[in-house]
Amino acid sequence: MTKVSVDLVHTGDDDERRERRRKQTRSALSAVIFIGAMLALLSAAETPKSDGGTTTQTTETVATQTVTTTTPTTTTTTTITPPPLPVSVDPAAIDFGAMPVGTSATQPVAFTNPDATEFVTAGITGGLTPTDFTIAAEKCARIAPKDFCVATITFTPHSTGPQETTFTLRAESNGSLPVKVNGSGVALVGELDFQEKEVALGSHRIGATSQRPVTIVNNGNGPLTIKTLTSGDPQFTVAGCEGTTLPAAAPCQATVEFRPQKRGRISTTLTATDDSGKSATTMVSGAGTLHMLRAVTPQLTLKQTQGKVATVIFENSGDDVVTIAGPAKITSGAYFIVEEGDGCAKKQQLQPGETCAIDVGSFGNTGRATLTVTGDGVEASVALNSGRIDTTSPKKFIVPRVSTIR
């Protein structure tokens, strides 16, 4: 019995301890719940509430709208983009290319309103270089329904190098339509040159003068002044454009003169210089030729017999054509040219190496004379004479007959 009683008493003590632990646990949970509720109330008191009771935070930008929503458990961000303008632009980009500094160029740009309502422009703004790029868009303040307007963009580069900007058409709704513009400024520089890369004056006899025009041009984008024109050989001279100011792309015509002093091909360089010290060159060439006539038989003796005839031969021994100046001439009346016997005058021109013949007769009188043929500033002569009959030397008076041109 005693053992059982002890066991019962022991069992009762365990039940009381378990009951106390349950009460302590419930008290701790209640404290935790109370503290959490207080923290939540404090957080709600510090955060502004929207009309609907949901905690929100909102920020806005000009072109887009960003909305940030925060709840005790989540955060959501949404970006809202305004609808594009109903107006279209053509072209959307303009390239003026390279232009000399100080010059201007314009290009049109069209804005079209396809809507059924009028489009009101809030303004057109420029970029970083408004002094170089400008826009005239007065007619685009209001664009009627189904209509368009044309603005004019001007580029006037004031410095060298690439430039760009953006013109933006803005609407009352705060939408925008950009037009990109670019160009480049280049320095104003003249560029001297000869239009002919080689000037050929052909063949001319020594001492004769020939001329030909030669063109000097300005291939640059700015003006220049021609200072000097020179030749590398005194047989060529050039003149006519010294002191002339040439605008961009303008020509000037000078004259080159050729007076050969020797036989054969001659070439040299013509040089033009401008006020900046720059120069241009071209090649010039020609050839000097020699006009020559010679008598194949420089002396001729005719028999003292009336009516005897001998033939005299002349040759072009030069390297250019000789034009015969006229009939051959005899300085004495004791000799005469047979009728129709002046073959040199008949030919009129002798090519290099070509010959002509003249038939000469005497009246049987003694004496001396000279037969002369001329052409192109040169001449050839034959000494004529007649002598007594000498039986000891008959061959002295025998004149060989050569082919006669009839």
Side-chain angles (χ1 to χ4, degrees):
M1 291 296 292
T2 301
K3 182 178 180 181
V4 172
S5 177
V6 171
D7 290 338
L8 289 175
V9 174
H10 177 75
T11 301
D13 293 339
D14 291 339
D15 292 336
E16 289 177 359
R17 285 193 295 271
R18 284 195 293 271
E19 184 63 23
R20 284 196 300 270
R21 283 197 295 270
R22 282 195 297 269
K23 289 179 179 181
Q24 292 172 352
T25 301
R26 283 195 297 269
S27 297
L29 288 173
S30 299
V32 171
I33 292 172
F34 176 78
I35 293 171
M38 293 300 292
L39 290 174
L41 289 173
L42 290 174
S43 176
E46 293 176 356
T47 304
K49 295 183 178 180
S50 66
D51 295 339
T54 304
T55 301
T56 60
Q57 184 177 0
T58 304
T59 59
E60 292 185 359
T61 63
V62 174
T64 62
Q65 187 177 36
T66 302
V67 179
T68 303
T69 304
T70 304
T71 67
T73 57
T74 61
T75 299
T76 303
T77 300
T78 304
T79 300
I80 301 175
T81 303
L85 291 182
V87 174
S88 62
V89 60
D90 183 31
I94 295 177
D95 184 2
F96 282 90
M99 290 177 50
V101 172
T103 61
S104 294
T106 60
Q107 291 197 35
V109 57
F111 296 97
T112 303
N113 178 17
D115 269 11
T117 58
E118 184 182 48
F119 178 86
V120 180
T121 303
I124 297 181
T125 59
L128 298 178
T129 55
T131 57
D132 290 354
F133 295 99
T134 59
I135 187 169
E138 295 82 1
K139 297 181 180 180
C140 296
R142 292 177 176 271
I143 308 175
K146 308 296 182 181
D147 201 359
F148 70 95
C149 69
V150 177
T152 301
I153 296 178
T154 302
F155 179 39
T156 307
H158 293 85
S159 59
T160 60
Q163 303 179 41
E164 63 179 13
T165 189
T166 299
F167 290 103
T168 304
L169 174 68
R170 298 191 181 279
E172 290 184 334
S173 61
N174 206 32
S176 61
L177 185 64
V179 180
K180 295 183 178 180
V181 185
N182 64 78
S184 180
V186 294
L188 290 172
V189 179
E191 184 180 345
L192 193 65
D193 199 5
F194 283 91
Q195 191 173 76
E196 300 88 355
K197 299 308 176 186
E198 182 175 355
V199 181
L201 282 89
S203 298
H204 302 278
R205 73 175 183 270
I206 293 174
T209 300
S210 61
Q211 294 181 339
R212 179 178 167 178
V214 58
T215 304
I216 303 170
V217 294
N218 178 7
N219 290 331
N221 58 15
L224 60 81
T225 300
I226 300 173
K227 286 297 185 181
T228 61
L229 291 174
T230 57
S231 167
D233 190 306
Q235 296 174 96
F236 298 92
T237 57
V238 59
C241 290
E242 298 94 328
T244 301
T245 298
L246 298 182
C252 179
Q253 191 173 85
T255 300
V256 58
E257 186 175 275
F258 177 42
R259 185 180 178 88
Q261 301 299 315
K262 60 182 180 180
R263 298 174 70 176
R265 177 178 170 81
I266 308 165
S267 63
T268 190
T269 300
L270 301 182
T271 302
T273 59
D274 62 20
D275 51 346
S276 69
K278 296 180 181 179
S279 62
T281 61
T282 187
M283 293 298 298
V284 61
S285 63
T289 58
L290 185 63
H291 289 71
M292 291 187 67
L293 279 175
R294 75 179 185 93
V296 177
T297 305
Q299 291 187 354
L300 184 64
T301 302
L302 281 77
K303 289 183 178 182
Q304 288 185 337
T305 304
Q306 186 174 356
K308 291 296 182 181
V309 178
T311 300
V312 181
I313 305 297
F314 291 91
E315 179 187 26
N316 178 357
S317 58
D319 47 21
D320 199 0
V321 177
V322 173
T323 300
I324 304 302
K329 295 180 180 181
I330 297 178
T331 58
S332 172
Y335 302 91
F336 62 92
I337 298 174
V338 177
E339 185 179 358
E340 301 294 328
D342 191 346
C344 294
K346 288 181 181 180
K347 280 197 170 184
Q348 295 183 346
Q349 286 188 336
L350 292 181
Q351 299 293 328
E354 192 175 10
T355 61
C356 62
I358 299 177
D359 291 335
V360 181
S362 71
F363 294 109
N365 300 328
T366 59
R368 298 179 180 275
T370 301
L371 172 66
T372 303
V373 175
T374 62
D376 284 328
V378 295
E379 66 177 27
S381 299
V382 173
L384 304 175
N385 66 80
S386 59
R388 299 179 179 181
I389 299 175
D390 187 350
T391 57
T392 61
S393 181
K395 293 183 179 180
K396 180 178 180 181
F397 300 98
I398 298 175
V399 179
R401 186 73 176 182
V402 296
S403 60
T404 302
I405 296 176
R406 298 291 185 180

